Amino acid sequence: MAKREPNPRGTGDQLRAQLVAAASELLLSPQSVALPSLRAVARACDVSPAAVYLHFDSQKALIDAVIDTQLASLGEAVGAAPEHPDGAIVAFGLAYAHWALEHPGAYQLLFESADRLGMGEGDHHASGDELIADATALLTATTTTTEPRRLALSLWSALHGVVSLRLHKPHMDWEVPLDEEIRWVVLRLQ
């Protein structure tokens, strides 16, 4: 690895972004090993461990920053879903599934790693509350359901099942393309 040039004084935000990017690279590769230490992240950025503490007071704070970054990426993808002839709910489901399969490490970090990260009940990252709120609002606006939150939870469960299985069973013959499967599942739930 090439020797890293120090950032000019007053550009701490640049180092913070580099630290998050380095931690992301280490965290977003699907793995069963321990979470990267702050020292490992510092090494990846070619800075001293003390430099990490200028931006993050703990390993959990740095991991939270990675999780926040990935949740924002998923939220942007779902929020920018192109219109679909079968409606906004299908567009939501397709955007969710495509993001997940294009970012498998990030998806696993967000929705399949809570126990590994020591995230418990009540942790804002563990619940997916923003995703459920977005789906609930979309269902309220586009369907006649009297239980939009319950339907949103069922929708997320179904989407998660499709995505998780496709991530963990990539060589299985799924018989139908992803878009067709998501469309079929979503339309059956409405």
Side-chain angles (χ1 to χ4, degrees), residues 60 63-69 71 110-111 114 117 119-120 122-129 156:
K60 182 173 181 348
I63 292 167
D64 282 349
V66 172
I67 290 171
D68 288 342
T69 300
L71 283 171
L110 293 178
F111 300 119
L117 296 172
M119 292 170 17
D123 191 304
H124 76 283
H125 297 304
S127 63
D129 282 342
W156 187 28

Side-chain angles (χ1 to χ4, degrees), residues 136 139-152 189-190:
T136 301
L139 288 162
T140 300
T142 61
T143 68
T144 59
T145 183
T146 57
E147 298 181 86
R149 181 168 166 77
R150 183 174 182 183
L151 184 54
L189 284 172
Q190 286 188 19

Side-chain angles (χ1 to χ4, degrees), residues 67-88:
I67 290 171
D68 288 342
T69 300
Q70 296 309 313
L71 283 171
S73 175
L74 173 57
E76 288 169 16
V78 171
E83 289 187 29
H84 191 277
D86 290 316

